[in-house]
Amino acid sequence: MTTLYRPELLYVDGTFVAGGELLVSADGLVLECGDKVDRAGVAVVEMPGKALMPGFVNAHSHSFQRLIRGKAESRVASGRDFWSWRGTMYHAASKLDPHQVYDVARMAFLEMVLAGTTTVGEFHYLHNAPDGRAYDDPNLLGKQVIRAASSVGIRIVLLRTAYIRAGFELAPDAGQMRFYESRKAFVENMAALVKDAFVGGGRVHFGVAPHSVRAVPLGELREIAAWARANRLPVHMHVAEQVAENAACVREYGSTPVDLLAAEKILGPDFTAVHGVHVTAEEIAMLARAEATVCSCPTTERNLGDGFVRADEMLAVGIRLALGSDSQAQIDPLEDARELEYHLRLSQQKRAILDHVGGQTLATNLFDSATVNGARALAISAGKLAPGEFADFITVDLGDLSIAGNSAEDLLSTLVFSMSRSAIRDVVVGGQFILRDQRHEYREEIVDRYKELHEAVWRDAAARR
Ligand SMILES: [Zn+2]
């Protein structure tokens, strides 16, 4: 049935308006959004004391990495750099059976929903059985992740990942046996998965994710990118997260990853460079010219000691910034959004650095990175409330401790810099409530199953030490 939502404040075209209304069709699309909505014969949902706004879009997630939370914060367990941290992550990846892949994905997605996320872009590279052989259905684990998203109710863009080798002049790595596929197998499996889009009631979408220039050699990368474009799927890739990755690319190809991707015309409006931390001003200009998105994962980038994205220089030349929770060290879209600004403040010893850069206010720049820019990167009609878009939205309690004492004029800044997840009341995906007054149907079951899985995975690890 067509439904009319009547919150106290509604986010429309970049501002909160009092008395705004949102009309949603029976099939979960926005019909009208504003203050003069035709309301004949519709169900009305009154939402006093709440503000309604687009749900957050998490453009880069590895759901299984939720398992290493708290396990990689000591030098003894996980070393001191990204590459030793990766060993802990590979350990978790090596253990999981298909049921456990489902359980950990549900846990990560549940937490995302409770944090106001309505879409996740899942960069999925766990394909094979632990011994490195393909399952009878080579898409078994990808389908488990999709099933997990469908069970939780979150919209998913499965960014199926091509992972072909350990790196330039490197022998295959025992920790990566579950990731490897040939270029041919990748394309066949990806095509089969898209064709089999069997679950999800219209909430399942796809993209193509060559892991990195390290893991996908150029010849294969060209073919995979061409295949993605022929099939109108977005392309996501880890780019310039680590200095060592850039250096290896220079050794192999004589140019840095961004330079190489630009020269090969792999950059484009459908391309998202995940991280984009170690880039020069010239490379920022290349990304801008190509109209590529940069997806920053600020919580992960600071957790791993990667460095931070130069958001000021990127916004100034029109690059759209999206956000991802990546390693799941913490799942909080607005925390990621504010880090874009805070990292710059600490390094430049100034304030309000992203205010009116690229023509928008600071709060709008940060909010867009958590919503509409992620949706664009994932090629879905979401992240804003306008006719024809998915009705993916959240409500927040205007009396919550973290934001109480707000006005329509300052609410966006208050949310972006101060809101905690306790304020999030409802989460709606495709017109359906998946969180209603902070209750999720499967919360207890998901957490209980996750606790069992966590104990099993780390009990085995302890026994081996
Ligand atoms: Zn990643």
Side-chain angles (χ1 to χ4, degrees), residues 42 47 95 116 296 324 340 395 464:
V42 303
M47 295 178 146
K95 304 296 296 177
S296 175
L340 285 178
T395 70
R464 276 215 318 279

PDB file of all heavy atoms in Angstrom, residues 42 47 95 116 296 324 340 395 464:
ATOM      1  N   VAL A  42      -4.152   6.905   1.307  1.00  0.00           N
ATOM      2  CA  VAL A  42      -2.872   6.288   1.660  1.00  0.00           C
ATOM      3  C   VAL A  42      -2.831   6.011   3.162  1.00  0.00           C
ATOM      4  O   VAL A  42      -3.557   6.629   3.945  1.00  0.00           O
ATOM      5  CB  VAL A  42      -1.676   7.203   1.279  1.00  0.00           C
ATOM      6  CG1 VAL A  42      -1.699   7.547  -0.205  1.00  0.00           C
ATOM      7  CG2 VAL A  42      -1.658   8.479   2.119  1.00  0.00           C
ATOM      8  N   MET A  47       5.160  10.489  12.758  1.00  0.00           N
ATOM      9  CA  MET A  47       6.463  10.321  13.400  1.00  0.00           C
ATOM     10  C   MET A  47       6.831  11.570  14.200  1.00  0.00           C
ATOM     11  O   MET A  47       7.827  12.248  13.904  1.00  0.00           O
ATOM     12  CB  MET A  47       7.532  10.031  12.340  1.00  0.00           C
ATOM     13  CG  MET A  47       7.309   8.708  11.619  1.00  0.00           C
ATOM     14  SD  MET A  47       8.544   8.402  10.348  1.00  0.00           S
ATOM     15  CE  MET A  47       8.700   6.621  10.450  1.00  0.00           C
ATOM     16  N   LYS A  95      39.580 -19.930   8.418  1.00  0.00           N
ATOM     17  CA  LYS A  95      38.860 -20.843   9.288  1.00  0.00           C
ATOM     18  C   LYS A  95      37.405 -21.091   8.899  1.00  0.00           C
ATOM     19  O   LYS A  95      36.831 -22.103   9.264  1.00  0.00           O
ATOM     20  CB  LYS A  95      38.839 -20.255  10.727  1.00  0.00           C
ATOM     21  CG  LYS A  95      40.170 -19.958  11.307  1.00  0.00           C
ATOM     22  CD  LYS A  95      41.026 -21.178  11.502  1.00  0.00           C
ATOM     23  CE  LYS A  95      40.433 -22.148  12.516  1.00  0.00           C
ATOM     24  NZ  LYS A  95      41.267 -23.357  12.622  1.00  0.00           N
ATOM     25  N   GLY A 116      22.362   2.861  11.278  1.00  0.00           N
ATOM     26  CA  GLY A 116      21.651   3.671  10.290  1.00  0.00           C
ATOM     27  C   GLY A 116      22.015   3.394   8.839  1.00  0.00           C
ATOM     28  O   GLY A 116      21.654   4.159   7.943  1.00  0.00           O
ATOM     29  N   SER A 296      36.965   6.629   0.966  1.00  0.00           N
ATOM     30  CA  SER A 296      37.844   6.622   2.127  1.00  0.00           C
ATOM     31  C   SER A 296      37.245   5.717   3.209  1.00  0.00           C
ATOM     32  O   SER A 296      36.030   5.585   3.306  1.00  0.00           O
ATOM     33  CB  SER A 296      37.972   8.048   2.663  1.00  0.00           C
ATOM     34  OG  SER A 296      38.724   8.045   3.856  1.00  0.00           O
ATOM     35  N   GLY A 324      33.619   3.909   3.700  1.00  0.00           N
ATOM     36  CA  GLY A 324      33.417   2.484   3.965  1.00  0.00           C
ATOM     37  C   GLY A 324      33.883   2.112   5.357  1.00  0.00           C
ATOM     38  O   GLY A 324      34.798   2.727   5.901  1.00  0.00           O
ATOM     39  N   LEU A 340      36.979  12.524   8.169  1.00  0.00           N
ATOM     40  CA  LEU A 340      37.498  13.177   6.953  1.00  0.00           C
ATOM     41  C   LEU A 340      37.989  14.578   7.288  1.00  0.00           C
ATOM     42  O   LEU A 340      39.020  15.041   6.805  1.00  0.00           O
ATOM     43  CB  LEU A 340      36.407  13.275   5.883  1.00  0.00           C
ATOM     44  CG  LEU A 340      36.007  12.018   5.126  1.00  0.00           C
ATOM     45  CD1 LEU A 340      34.873  12.354   4.159  1.00  0.00           C
ATOM     46  CD2 LEU A 340      37.182  11.411   4.381  1.00  0.00           C
ATOM     47  N   THR A 395      15.103   7.192  10.719  1.00  0.00           N
ATOM     48  CA  THR A 395      14.628   8.297  11.551  1.00  0.00           C
ATOM     49  C   THR A 395      15.510   8.373  12.790  1.00  0.00           C
ATOM     50  O   THR A 395      16.065   7.367  13.238  1.00  0.00           O
ATOM     51  CB  THR A 395      13.174   8.109  12.014  1.00  0.00           C
ATOM     52  OG1 THR A 395      13.105   7.048  12.965  1.00  0.00           O
ATOM     53  CG2 THR A 395      12.250   7.853  10.847  1.00  0.00           C
ATOM     54  N   ARG A 464      46.407 -23.913  19.051  1.00  0.00           N
ATOM     55  CA  ARG A 464      47.587 -24.132  18.200  1.00  0.00           C
ATOM     56  C   ARG A 464      48.825 -23.425  18.693  1.00  0.00           C
ATOM     57  O   ARG A 464      49.940 -23.754  18.293  1.00  0.00           O
ATOM     58  CB  ARG A 464      47.271 -23.662  16.777  1.00  0.00           C
ATOM     59  CG  ARG A 464      46.544 -24.690  15.932  1.00  0.00           C
ATOM     60  CD  ARG A 464      46.987 -24.600  14.476  1.00  0.00           C
ATOM     61  NE  ARG A 464      47.097 -23.199  14.049  1.00  0.00           N
ATOM     62  CZ  ARG A 464      46.075 -22.463  13.675  1.00  0.00           C
ATOM     63  NH1 ARG A 464      44.872 -22.983  13.680  1.00  0.00           N
ATOM     64  NH2 ARG A 464      46.237 -21.228  13.292  1.00  0.00           N
TER      65      ARG A 464
END
